[in-house]
Amino acid sequence: MLVLLGVLVVVAGFATRRNPLLVVGTAGIVTGLLGGLSPQRILADFGTGFASSRAVTVFVITLPVIGLLERHGLQERARHLMGRFAGLTAGRFLALYLLLRQLTAALGLNGVFGQAQTVRPLAAPMAEGAAERRHGPLSAGAREKVRSYAASADNVGLFFGEDVFLAVGSILLITGFVNTTYHTRLEPLDLALWAVPTALCALAVHGWRLLRLDRTLAQPPISPREPEGAAK
């Protein structure tokens, strides 16, 4: 039972808004020590896990490529491209991106879009360009809002779209566990079909929120209230 104290480390770290990488690493060390592992064994397990996970090291290739493209004006070209589509607002563009992200994830193409390779260098600047064309120069707060909505479109589309794909890891894990534990014949297709209504609901709800972004950007910013007793 002592090894479960590592979970408390994770909860406490996230509750106090610590660095996620530091929190998870500390929780792993605490769990290993309480489980009777030596420091050398814990370090070896960290190294083995890092070396065997391709997703951890993909940033080594992604970040330099994105950095070079941004340095040579990728974001500026993306904003300029949005100027050619007069009827495409920031909300409509992000709603379309949400739909494409969910469709590609449902087909198992999780790497087609993404935060590092698409949202930061392309989707967010294009949404900002569409917003600036309609509403003029954006304030710092409005710019951050557009960027956050662009990131949320990618997250929601991937999260609810990938469960529709038959061979996603979560579906295979659930079917394998249920069939082994309860001796049933649960098929991945059954779970994928049940995920379709949830994906459609997520598309409708978040798509409506993205479309409302245009109305939010059109509202004038609220000026801070003056303190009581201030001289007039």
Side-chain angles (χ1 to χ4, degrees):
M1 295 296 293
L2 290 178
V3 296
L4 296 179
L5 293 178
V7 179
L8 296 180
V9 175
V10 175
V11 174
F14 288 156
T16 55
R17 299 179 181 273
R18 302 298 180 182
N19 186 288
L21 182 60
L22 179 62
V23 171
V24 174
T26 304
I29 295 174
V30 171
T31 303
L33 292 176
L34 293 177
L37 299 180
S38 64
Q40 293 81 1
R41 176 63 184 278
I42 295 174
L43 183 61
D45 288 342
F46 270 107
T48 302
F50 182 85
S52 61
S53 178
R54 298 179 181 178
V56 175
T57 56
V58 71
F59 73 93
V60 176
I61 299 177
T62 304
L63 289 182
V65 172
I66 297 301
L68 287 174
L69 291 175
E70 290 185 358
R71 184 175 181 179
H72 288 82
L74 178 63
Q75 293 189 359
E76 287 74 11
R77 296 304 302 174
R79 292 190 180 93
H80 179 72
L81 178 63
M82 289 303 298
R84 302 181 180 181
F85 301 95
L88 195 59
T89 63
R92 293 173 184 173
F93 168 74
L94 292 179
L96 178 61
Y97 179 84
L98 170 65
L99 175 62
L100 293 176
R101 181 57 159 153
Q102 201 168 62
L103 289 176
T104 53
L107 296 175
L109 304 176
N110 294 345
V112 173
F113 298 102
Q115 298 288 348
Q117 64 268 34
T118 305
V119 174
R120 174 182 167 83
L122 291 176
M126 293 176 74
E128 291 177 30
E132 290 174 347
R133 185 188 63 245
R134 178 170 289 255
H135 306 290
L138 300 177
S139 63
R143 192 174 300 277
E144 292 299 325
K145 181 182 288 292
V146 173
R147 293 174 180 177
S148 65
Y149 271 71
S152 69
D154 188 273
N155 287 340
V156 174
L158 174 63
F159 186 85
F160 290 96
E162 65 178 357
D163 288 339
V164 182
F165 184 57
L166 297 178
V168 72
S170 59
I171 296 254
L172 299 179
L173 176 63
I174 293 173
T175 53
F177 175 79
V178 171
N179 292 337
T180 303
T181 305
Y182 300 102
H183 306 287
T184 60
R185 294 284 298 177
L186 182 63
E187 297 294 335
L189 180 60
D190 300 330
L191 292 179
L193 291 178
W194 277 104
V196 172
T198 307
L200 293 177
C201 290
L203 177 64
V205 172
H206 197 59
W208 176 75
R209 294 183 69 246
L210 293 174
L211 293 175
R212 289 199 64 219
L213 175 63
D214 298 323
R215 184 182 303 178
T216 304
L217 295 175
Q219 297 175 356
I222 301 176
S223 58
R225 296 179 57 183
E226 295 184 358
E228 296 182 1
K232 298 183 180 179

